[in-house]
Amino acid sequence: MKTIPAHGIEHAKVLASLKDFGIEDANYRDSRIWSLVYYLGEEHTSFLKKAYGLYFSENALNPMAFKSLKRMETEIVQMTSELLHGDDQVVGTMTSGGTETCLLPVVTYRERASAMRNLPFKPEMIVPRSIHVSWDKASKYFGVKMVQAPLDDKYRVDVAAVERLINRNTILLVASAPCYPFGVVDPIPALGEVALRHKLPLHVDSCLGGFLLPFVERLGNSVTPFDFRVPGVTSIGADLHKYGFSAKGASVLLYRSMDYLQHQFFVSIDSPTGVFASPAMLGTRPGGAIAAAWAALNAIGLNGYLDITRTIMDTTTRLMKGIEAIEGLTILGCPSMSVFAYASRDKNLDIYALGDQLEERGWLVDRIQHPAGLHCMVTPRHADVVDSYLKDLREAADIVRRDPGLASKGNAAMYGMVANVPMRGLVKSQVTKMMMELYGSECRMPAPASDVQHASRLSRYLLPIGMKILNWWNSRKNRVT
Ligand SMILES: Cc1ncc(COP(=O)(O)O)c(C=O)c1O
């Protein structure tokens, strides 16, 4: 058991230890990963660190005490609103990141519905099947049932299905611009019409695309309208710490007017500490994250974002073309920007086994399920690694085709099993067991340094039980047919 040292350790030694801990971490500086980090290089990073450091101790919990932070937050909200074609009625707050930006609208619209209808009911929100998992979390946290609408054959939400799912308990419609798994923008103009017809709010989760799609459009590409230009859209979330290239801990949540935002505020007047008013979910709000976000927007500027977007989109096109040129592989749907998934059309080319082979070559690979695929989130730095990724992918495809048994080994078996095992409750309880080990008092192991380790830890829990269930299920199916 680790304890706080009795006597403080020299700064240099402490910092050396911290550096050491990271040795096995995912290598984002060499662009070997396709998620988690939006990196523009060391020069930009050290600039952000300086900006962050200037407001390291300041706390946006009290905007009167730190007017500087309130000023920056207001300017960030205005700059984001302008980018997303909001008018002067649009208002908003900064949050700690995408998840908070997705959690908050659920509370806001629940409070609004309850204020407007003033009657007991079981609130529901309708979301695309492809929605980010933070909406599921919001459902669990705030008791708003999440009703999932199916996707069409291009992985966009089926608007007619959304309309059919609306009932008297519906308080909110949600769409993505774009969704994380397939990088596809939902048909937001049509959803806006549905929302207006049924007098429902429509939130657009543009955490991923809010700071990229506007520039993709400015470069002359066709982008499904998704912002405040679309009638019916009442709020939009956009993450600064993704394609805004800010420091982690920064996102923006905008509402069409104060009619909506007012329901997000938390005000308490009876606490022993007196009146307490808070605009978003956190109490203490790190000033550094706000300062770094302000710094990123101002230092990069519209032209800088355009240049970055050009590089990202060229890189994405090269990658997608290269992947489609490999026999058996196909891009899923028509991705709208720089995030996409690819799958296998060839039963002898197991996509998860392909993922394992890429990992053996030092790539950190993200998988998706339903359908099974591998995932890429492209940043400007990936421009330098497209050729080596494609070379490794071609080699990996040859190896997997020659040895189809790889599909039932290693992480491929685990991911295949997790996606297909029929008893979902059992899978969930095994994953919960793994979490209890990771966060339990008995945990002596270092936290997983990468998804690879995370996956092998998962395999330990899931593979034995999953294989048993799958065999039983298959034998049962064979008996029936
Ligand atoms: C569409 C979308 N919404 C929300 C989130 C959650 O963001 P965060 O990881 O910053 O909490 C993500 C993360 O990738 C996302 O892609």
Side-chain angles (χ1 to χ4, degrees):
M1 175 76 79
K2 177 92 178 154
T3 56
I4 298 174
H7 302 285
I9 302 168
E10 253 172 71
H11 286 186
K13 278 194 185 154
V14 172
L15 294 175
S17 298
L18 287 175
K19 248 192 166 167
D20 241 31
F21 292 166
I23 280 174
E24 282 181 41
D25 280 358
N27 183 353
Y28 64 89
R29 287 191 181 87
D30 291 344
S31 309
R32 305 298 286 187
I33 68 175
W34 299 91
S35 63
L36 299 168
V37 181
Y38 296 74
Y39 180 62
L40 279 188
E42 280 311 292
E43 195 185 332
H44 183 65
T45 302
S46 69
F47 168 68
L48 291 182
K49 284 181 189 170
K50 278 187 196 146
Y52 198 107
L54 284 175
Y55 286 86
F56 181 84
S57 305
E58 283 75 353
N59 187 345
L61 167 62
N62 185 341
M64 302 306 157
F66 296 108
K67 295 195 180 65
S68 53
L69 294 178
K70 181 66 187 80
R71 174 193 172 155
M72 287 180 237
E73 181 173 10
T74 303
E75 291 188 10
I76 289 168
V77 164
Q78 286 170 356
M79 288 188 266
T80 311
S81 168
E82 212 251 329
L83 187 66
L84 299 176
H85 297 96
D87 59 21
D88 57 7
Q89 294 300 301
V90 167
V91 285
T93 59
M94 283 189 71
T95 74
S96 59
T99 296
E100 190 186 345
T101 287
C102 297
L103 294 179
L104 275 169
V106 179
V107 180
T108 303
Y109 289 117
R110 188 195 66 188
E111 293 301 291
R112 177 175 175 267
S114 111
M116 284 172 59
R117 302 182 194 183
N118 202 21
L119 44 88
F121 63 108
K122 291 186 183 144
E124 295 182 5
M125 57 181 168
I126 303 173
V127 305
R129 178 81 183 83
S130 54
I131 200 74
H132 188 264
V133 69
S134 51
W135 293 87
D136 202 359
K137 205 181 215 182
S139 162
K140 180 173 170 177
Y141 284 1
F142 306 126
V144 174
K145 184 173 165 195
M146 187 175 89
V147 180
Q148 291 190 326
L151 307 181
D152 64 17
D153 57 357
K154 294 198 165 70
Y155 300 95
R156 300 169 308 185
V157 75
D158 176 339
V159 180
V162 170
E163 189 154 23
R164 279 196 300 275
L165 288 168
I166 294 174
N167 64 37
R168 55 196 283 276
N169 292 331
T170 308
I171 58 158
L172 171 63
L173 307 181
V174 186
S176 312
C179 67
Y180 191 77
F182 312 110
V184 171
V185 176
D186 285 315
I188 289 165
L191 285 169
E193 285 173 22
V194 172
L196 289 173
R197 222 173 10 251
H198 293 267
K199 297 190 170 49
L200 285 167
L202 170 60
H203 177 87
V204 175
D205 178 355
S206 196
C207 283
L208 196 52
F211 286 95
L212 192 68
L213 284 175
F215 300 104
V216 174
E217 189 182 351
R218 281 174 199 213
L219 286 177
N221 302 289
S222 125
V223 172
T224 304
F226 69 99
D227 60 19
F228 286 114
R229 282 172 293 182
V230 179
V233 169
T234 51
S235 50
I236 307 178
D239 284 1
L240 285 152
H241 67 194
K242 293 194 171 72
Y243 285 110
F245 295 100
S246 174
K248 293 221 176 345
S251 171
V252 180
L253 175 53
L254 298 177
Y255 292 92
R256 199 175 270 280
S257 75
M258 190 52 82
D259 285 350
Y260 302 100
L261 175 60
Q262 61 174 305
H263 298 284
Q264 181 177 296
F265 297 148
F266 174 81
V267 177
S268 164
I269 49 169
D270 293 325
S271 149
T273 47
V275 172
F276 178 93
S278 138
M281 205 161 268
L282 302 187
T284 288
R285 302 166 75 214
I290 296 176
W294 189 92
L297 289 173
N298 281 288
I300 297 174
L302 291 175
N303 274 340
Y305 282 113
L306 264 182
D307 287 345
I308 290 170
T309 307
R310 203 172 283 119
T311 309
I312 292 176
M313 293 308 288
D314 287 351
T315 308
T316 307
T317 307
R318 277 169 63 208
L319 253 177
M320 293 206 302
K321 276 193 180 152
I323 292 169
E324 292 248 79
I326 298 175
E327 205 194 320
L329 294 183
T330 185
I331 305 291
L332 294 171
C334 301
S336 314
M337 44 174 245
S338 55
V339 174
F340 65 90
Y342 59 97
S344 167
R345 282 180 299 213
D346 175 352
K347 66 178 178 7
N348 293 320
L349 182 61
D350 183 87
I351 196 76
Y352 293 142
L354 201 56
D356 286 356
Q357 288 301 312
L358 285 173
E359 268 170 1
E360 280 189 18
R361 286 159 181 76
W363 301 98
L364 196 129
V365 179
D366 291 291
R367 283 87 170 166
I368 63 161
Q369 57 175 356
H370 313 306
L374 302 182
H375 191 263
C376 294
M377 177 280 287
V378 180
T379 66
R381 308 277 294 193
H382 285 118
D384 298 338
V385 300
V386 171
D387 293 337
S388 61
Y389 182 82
L390 290 174
K391 179 177 159 285
D392 285 352
L393 189 59
R394 280 189 292 270
E395 270 175 35
D398 285 345
I399 289 175
V400 174
R401 251 205 203 94
R402 269 189 266 121
D403 185 359
L406 290 172
S408 46
K409 290 185 190 145
N411 291 329
M414 194 270 300
Y415 282 105
M417 186 279 294
V418 170
N420 294 315
V421 80
M423 291 161 174
R424 312 306 294 161
L426 270 173
V427 175
K428 201 167 172 180
S429 69
Q430 287 300 109
V431 177
T432 308
K433 263 193 197 159
M434 179 200 74
M435 293 295 280
M436 287 181 350
E437 189 197 279
L438 266 178
Y439 290 92
S441 57
E442 293 298 306
C443 181
R444 298 275 185 275
M445 296 152 89
S450 69
D451 267 359
V452 185
Q453 286 182 22
H454 193 63
S456 23
R457 191 182 281 249
L458 262 175
S459 331
R460 229 177 347 108
Y461 280 90
L462 291 174
L463 259 186
I465 185 160
M467 284 307 178
K468 261 192 214 154
I469 300 169
L470 263 188
N471 289 340
W472 169 79
W473 182 256
N474 288 336
S475 67
R476 194 168 156 267
K477 262 203 319 206
N478 292 342
R479 271 210 308 277
V480 174
T481 49

